[in-house]
Amino acid sequence: MFDKEKVYLGIAPIGWCNDDMPELGAENTFRQTVSEMALAGFTGTEIGNKYPSDPAELKWELDLRGMRVASRWFSSFILTQPMEKVEADFLRELDFLSAVGANRINVSEQSYSIQGQMDTPVLGNRKHVMDQGEWDRFNEGLNHLGDLAGKRGFKLCFHHHMGTVVQTAQETDRMLAGTDSDKVFLCYDTGHFTFAGEDPLAMLKKYAKRVGHVHLKDMRRAVVDRVAPEGMSFLQAVRQGAFTVPGDGCVDFDPIFALLSEAGYEGWLLVEAEQDPAKANPLAYAIKARQYIREHTGL
């Protein structure tokens, strides 16, 4: 199915320690986290808040375990900060990622985001909707950052995300239509499309050639169906167990894997399933995810 020389498997630290709610998994150390990732059979990681800030130290620790950095989240504020500041912050992140040998950066626009607000319902009419002027500024800014990334050998992969200005299929369509296909790629997240009430397979059929990074995230339908009626915030939904690893929820990954393979996808398949580690043992779930991917892709 996939070319093992061109497709790699990683897992995010957010199952061990949550960046938005650091009390979840506060007891899990950086070394424990990356050691358990390697033990479960993964070779890549994204970067969490407990990781060393010195790129040389981080690379040394990962090299010991046969691992490397797949990508890193970058919060952009194109709509609300001067572009000069956004650019400077972005270039600083590229410098760090370059030093650890990565070539992807995941960008999420955090202007007006409600994803980190504990008491704001994530579904409904509470999130910001951009007007035409904001769309123009946003897409122009993304193109600029994508150009900077490309000149340094990186792909800018935009992460559609619950509670942000690019959450829905329509917003993702507009973002991709308004940016250059050789500058801005999609960080395709099965969980966030499902959470938003969209069809992740339908979105992949439209944009398979535009995907630069993949987040494999499953959803517990019984929890997701409670989010709107109970007025849950994004963080409350995470605490309730909305997300889980592939094979443990309602997302059908087989056609997704098949379509990515047919499209010749190259890069990372990265498990990203934020859960409360006190309820969902991170190593046990990492092993479950790794076994599922092996059985369904041969990787």
Side-chain angles (χ1 to χ4, degrees), residues 88-276:
D89 292 342
F90 186 70
L91 291 175
R92 191 158 45 247
E93 289 295 332
L94 290 182
D95 286 342
F96 184 95
L97 288 169
S98 181
V100 295
N103 60 12
R104 299 289 192 276
I105 184 167
N106 300 337
V107 174
S108 176
E109 178 64 19
Q110 290 297 295
S111 297
Y112 311 117
S113 173
I114 62 171
Q115 75 178 66
Q117 297 175 12
M118 182 60 75
D119 298 318
T120 302
V122 71
L123 293 175
N125 300 314
R126 303 293 291 274
K127 86 172 199 70
H128 186 79
V129 176
M130 289 188 281
D131 60 28
Q132 183 60 52
E134 289 172 320
W135 270 109
D136 291 343
R137 176 173 178 170
F138 173 64
N139 285 337
E140 181 181 351
L142 273 186
N143 269 337
H144 177 61
L145 296 181
D147 184 57
L148 294 173
K151 289 177 178 176
R152 293 187 173 214
F154 279 81
K155 281 187 176 180
L156 183 159
C157 304
F158 189 84
H159 193 337
H160 57 99
H161 198 288
M162 295 299 298
T164 71
V165 292
V166 182
Q167 170 179 294
T168 66
Q170 184 179 25
E171 289 164 341
T172 304
D173 288 339
R174 194 164 179 181
M175 181 272 295
L176 291 171
T179 54
D180 295 341
S181 60
D182 61 341
K183 294 179 180 177
V184 177
F185 298 85
L186 182 64
C187 174
Y188 170 75
D189 191 303
T190 54
H192 280 276
F193 276 136
T194 302
F195 200 155
E198 311 292 1
D199 181 348
L201 182 60
M203 293 302 290
L204 186 60
K205 286 177 179 177
K206 288 199 287 186
Y207 299 115
K209 292 293 187 180
R210 197 85 182 260
V211 173
H213 195 64
V214 175
H215 278 171
L216 300 177
K217 193 195 308 270
D218 214 337
M219 305 296 296
R220 293 187 175 95
R221 175 55 64 188
V223 178
V224 177
D225 288 345
R226 292 169 42 211
V227 172
E230 296 182 19
M232 288 188 206
S233 67
F234 177 73
L235 298 182
Q236 289 168 343
V238 169
R239 283 182 174 273
Q240 289 297 315
F243 296 127
T244 185
V245 299
D248 192 49
C250 66
V251 176
D252 184 1
F253 284 93
D254 285 335
I256 290 170
F257 290 144
L259 187 52
L260 284 168
S261 176
E262 291 167 10
Y265 174 73
E266 298 179 4
W268 289 93
L269 299 177
L270 195 125
V271 175
E272 189 205 35
E274 51 263 53
Q275 303 189 73
D276 182 348

Side-chain angles (χ1 to χ4, degrees), residues 75-86 89 111 137:
S75 295
S76 64
F77 293 88
I78 295 170
L79 299 178
T80 54
Q81 291 182 351
M83 197 60 205
E84 293 78 10
K85 173 171 172 44
V86 177
D89 292 342
S111 297
R137 176 173 178 170

